[in-house]
């Protein structure tokens, strides 16, 4: 019997515990939808952003059209802020500029360097529009200790089953981790 997936948020503490939970889980990634403001010259625009942990794209098996994905080193509070752009955003806002890698974009008052552009049609794990993916820890810099608060629910979690794992064992491991 297949059970429907449930959506709920959890803390980054719980996410880190789930990520290390055990043999039934091959990997995990955290995410959170966010509204953001992009300053492009003197033009202010709304941006549909997704905050993601460093292994998000790897977990999904996604590869960028240009540049590189986020890696765990990008998802550290002291990391240089980087952003991955959607193909649609890159096309509509930056006119498919092939020299976009390294370009600086100011998002929510923070200067991010473009590290990648995803392929056409890629929206991550959701069907909703995503303009940009930002590393969780960099985007949350203004909230000290956010990642250490066990009851601050800030993230959804995606998991990939290990090759020999099963959903029941993975769910039990995840539940015991939190």
């Amino acid at each position: 019997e297949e059970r429907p997936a449930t959506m709920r948020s959890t803390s980054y503490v719980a996410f880190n515990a789930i990520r290390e939970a055990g043999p039934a889980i091959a990997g995990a990634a955290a995410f959170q939808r966010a509204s953001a403001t992009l300053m492009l010259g003197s033009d202010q625009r709304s941006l549909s952003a997704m905050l993601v942990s460093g292994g998000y794209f790897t977990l999904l098996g996604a590869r960028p059209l240009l540049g590189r994905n986020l890696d765990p080193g990008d998802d550290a509070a002291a990391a240089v802020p980087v952003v991955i752009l959607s193909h649609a955003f890159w096309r509509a806002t930056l006119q498919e500029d092939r020299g976009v890698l390294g370009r600086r974009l100011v998002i929510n008052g923070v200067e991010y360097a473009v590290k990648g552009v995803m392929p056409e049609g890629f929206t991550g794990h959701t069907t909703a529009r995503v303009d940009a993916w930002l590393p969780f820890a960099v985007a949350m810099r203004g909230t000290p200790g956010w990642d250490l608060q066990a009851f601050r629910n800030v993230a959804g979690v995606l998991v990939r089953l290990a090759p020999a794992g099963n959903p029941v064992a993975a769910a039990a491991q995840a539940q015991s981790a939190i």
Side-chain angles (χ1 to χ4, degrees), residues 45-175:
R45 299 177 186 211
S46 292
L47 192 68
S48 178
M50 182 77 69
L51 310 184
V52 296
S53 60
Y56 177 81
F57 295 102
T58 301
L59 184 85
L60 296 177
R63 299 169 77 92
L65 173 70
L66 296 175
R68 69 167 177 84
N69 284 331
L70 297 177
D71 61 39
D74 295 320
D75 191 29
V80 173
V82 296
V83 59
I84 306 297
L85 302 176
S86 74
H87 191 276
F89 177 83
W90 175 61
R91 176 188 294 139
T93 306
L94 303 174
Q95 291 71 50
E96 296 183 82
D97 176 9
R98 303 281 283 161
V100 72
L101 300 179
R103 182 172 176 178
R104 306 275 189 233
L105 299 177
V106 177
I107 302 169
N108 289 347
V110 175
E111 190 176 81
Y112 289 81
V114 176
K115 286 297 173 191
V117 175
M118 296 310 289
E120 189 169 6
F122 179 82
T123 57
H125 71 283
T126 178
T127 57
R129 185 185 105 224
V130 177
D131 296 319
W133 291 268
L134 308 171
F136 231 112
V138 173
M140 296 293 285
R141 278 184 182 164
T143 310
W146 68 274
D147 57 331
L148 304 175
Q149 297 172 6
F151 299 104
R152 185 183 194 112
N153 292 351
V154 296
V157 178
L158 301 169
V159 299
R160 178 174 300 280
L161 292 176
N166 71 58
V168 174
Q173 286 174 10
Q175 194 59 40

